[in-house]
């Protein structure tokens, strides 16, 4: 049933195009479906296969359907893309998906690029997740990643700096 649902929705070009017409909410709906994959995997071990995780990467990160999906996410809801790539990395980090190293490096780079460009999403899963941060750093060892990693760390540090009113304390 889950596989059928993926082919009717998450992996279906017409469904994706429909979500794209919905703008911000459509991007959020894609993110929700990917998040549900992790929930299924946690609750029912054999429910989500590695090839299904890989299909998400192919469609939504690599744009295998040539829909200009990244441009759409960046325009409509960049934090949905950021949250989705974070979730994919977490699925691998926690052992729910056996992704190859090249894919993990690609996802880490795309996630970091999104944080640098759009700021962190401030979500419950992403904020203050030290194990994830350590995992991310181990995946960003390709040429050119050192600068992106430094920019990523700066963007994350900026997000956690107290504002001038917070630094002064109560009035």
């Amino acid at each position: 049933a889950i596989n059928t649902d993926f082919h009717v929705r998450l992996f279906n070009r017409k469904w994706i195009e429909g979500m794209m017409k919905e703008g911000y909410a459509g991007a959020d709906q894609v993110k929700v479906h990917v998040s549900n994959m992790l929930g299924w995997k946690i609750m029912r071990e054999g429910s989500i296969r590695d090839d299904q995780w890989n299909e998400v990467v192919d469609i939504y990160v690599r744009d295998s359907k040539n829909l200009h999906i990244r441009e759409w996410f960046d325009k409509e809801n960049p934090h949905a893309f950021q949250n989705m790539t974070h979730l994919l990395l977490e699925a691998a980090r926690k052992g729910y998906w056996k992704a190859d190293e090249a894919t993990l490096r690609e996802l880490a780079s795309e996630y970091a690029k999104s944080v640098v460009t759009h700021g962190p999403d401030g979500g419950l899963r992403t904020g203050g997740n030290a194990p994830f941060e350590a995992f991310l750093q181990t995946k960003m060892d390709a040429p050119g990643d050192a600068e992106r990693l430094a920019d990523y760390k700066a963007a994350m540090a900026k997000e956690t700096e107290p504002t001038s009113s917070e630094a002064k304390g109560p009035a």
Side-chain angles (χ1 to χ4, degrees):
I2 293 171
N3 191 49
T4 299
D5 187 58
F6 287 158
H7 287 283
V8 169
R9 295 181 192 189
L10 200 56
F11 303 159
N12 184 306
R13 182 184 189 89
K14 288 186 180 194
W15 183 84
I16 297 166
E17 288 171 339
M19 291 299 100
M20 292 176 83
K21 288 177 185 171
E22 296 299 320
Y24 180 92
D28 193 62
Q29 196 58 222
V30 169
K31 175 200 72 169
V32 165
H33 278 272
V34 175
S35 178
N36 288 344
M37 288 177 70
L38 183 58
W40 274 108
K41 184 68 175 186
I42 291 168
M43 297 304 293
R44 188 167 216 140
E45 189 176 327
S47 60
I48 306 297
R49 302 183 315 259
D50 287 348
D51 66 293
Q52 292 166 323
W53 292 111
N54 294 334
E55 186 76 9
V56 169
V57 174
D58 286 342
I59 293 171
Y60 295 101
V61 178
R62 298 178 181 142
D63 197 19
S64 64
K65 295 190 181 290
N66 297 312
L67 294 168
H68 305 283
I69 201 107
R70 181 61 184 273
E71 292 87 351
W72 169 69
F73 271 117
D74 283 348
K75 178 182 177 227
E76 299 294 340
N77 190 344
H79 289 130
F81 178 83
Q82 191 178 114
N83 191 277
M84 182 180 62
T85 53
H86 179 274
L87 191 136
L88 290 163
L89 287 162
E90 280 288 73
R93 181 182 76 79
K94 293 180 177 183
Y96 296 118
W97 170 37
K98 291 177 184 67
D100 63 74
E101 282 300 312
T103 297
L104 293 175
R105 283 191 202 93
E106 178 183 11
L107 287 170
S109 182
E110 292 301 321
Y111 172 76
K113 185 180 352 178
S114 179
V115 170
V116 169
T117 304
H118 303 288
D121 75 348
L124 292 173
R125 288 186 177 124
T126 55
N129 188 339
F132 172 78
E133 294 297 324
F135 179 78
L136 181 72
Q137 290 183 40
T138 67
K139 301 305 171 197
M140 295 190 68
D141 57 5
D145 279 348
E147 185 177 336
R148 179 164 294 138
L149 184 58
D151 291 344
Y152 167 80
K153 287 179 179 180
M156 292 301 284
K158 182 179 178 185
E159 187 68 19
T160 58
E161 288 176 359
T163 63
S164 58
S165 62
E166 290 172 336
K168 292 177 186 174

